């Protein structure tokens, strides 16, 4: 019982952490979620304790980071559903709104703002396959 774990990602909400956990487990990586219970009980505590941490065993760290990298390249909607191109149905869609660097940590709080201010923010997406640009309602 002396295994070493690495935190590979931090999320503000456990819903997002659960989605990513599922993706990692699909790749055969065992994932542990830290602080999950506390946050679900009181979302306001999330920031204070640093969010929901996804942890993996040390030996899985490199593979986990690789999987995380491939996930964050493409866009998901507010429910964590992969966004597909309206033209060719490809999943290789990127959000053009320029939040890329912030995305993994702040994406959900930004999404909340977008939802609260739907008139002001239009999210535009770009398909890497057919080069289609499109907007979603
Ligand atoms: Zn396309």
């Amino acid at each position: 019982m002396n295994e070493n774990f690495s935190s590979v990602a931090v999320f503000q909400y456990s819903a997002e952490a659960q989605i990513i956990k599922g993706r990692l487990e699909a790749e055969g990586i065992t994932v542990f979620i830290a602080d999950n219970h506390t946050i679900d009980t009181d979302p306001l505590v999330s920031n204070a304790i640093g969010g929901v941490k996804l942890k993996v065993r040390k030996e899985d760290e490199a593979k986990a980071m690789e999987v995380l990298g491939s996930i964050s390249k493409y866009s998901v909607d507010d429910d964590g559903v992969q966004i597909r191109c309206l033209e060719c149905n490809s999943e290789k869609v990127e959000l053009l709104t320029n939040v890329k660097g912030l995305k993994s940590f702040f994406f959900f709080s930004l999404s909340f703002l977008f939802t609260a201010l739907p008139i002001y923010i239009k999210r535009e997406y770009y398909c890497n396959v057919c080069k289609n640009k499109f907007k979603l309602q």
Side-chain angles (χ1 to χ4, degrees):
M1 198 49 205
N2 198 20
E3 282 178 288
N4 286 315
F5 296 95
S6 290
S7 292
V8 291
V10 181
F11 302 98
Q12 188 165 6
Y13 297 110
S14 60
E16 190 186 18
Q18 292 290 351
I19 291 161
I20 303 302
K21 179 174 183 274
R23 294 286 187 99
L24 289 170
E25 286 176 342
E27 300 293 325
I29 298 167
T30 307
V31 181
F32 306 88
I33 292 186
D35 307 328
N36 190 8
H37 180 71
T38 316
I39 285 161
D40 284 338
T41 307
D42 182 0
L44 294 177
V45 176
S46 177
N47 287 327
I49 62 172
V52 182
K53 296 185 184 72
L54 283 191
K55 292 173 184 273
V56 301
R57 292 194 176 92
K58 273 280 185 217
E59 66 259 34
D60 288 333
E61 184 179 0
K63 192 178 177 190
M65 295 309 286
E66 200 176 300
V67 174
L68 286 170
S70 71
I71 293 170
S72 60
K73 266 201 313 215
Y74 303 120
S75 298
V76 294
D77 70 13
D78 296 344
D79 298 318
V81 176
Q82 188 84 48
I83 290 171
R84 287 174 180 273
C85 174
L86 296 180
E87 291 293 324
C88 71
N89 208 35
S90 159
E91 289 188 350
K92 295 186 177 178
V93 169
E94 291 184 54
L95 184 63
L96 280 182
T97 310
N98 206 5
V99 294
K100 271 180 190 163
L102 298 171
K103 193 176 164 190
S104 57
F105 193 83
F106 292 112
F107 185 64
F108 268 59
S109 46
L110 287 170
S111 298
F112 177 78
L113 285 177
F114 291 162
T115 307
L117 303 169
I119 297 161
Y120 303 106
I121 311 265
K122 281 181 184 155
R123 276 181 279 184
E124 192 174 17
Y125 297 90
Y126 173 76
C127 174
N128 281 298
V129 175
C130 70
K131 314 300 181 198
N132 178 39
K133 282 184 190 173
F134 61 96
K135 287 174 182 164
L136 295 178
Q137 296 300 319

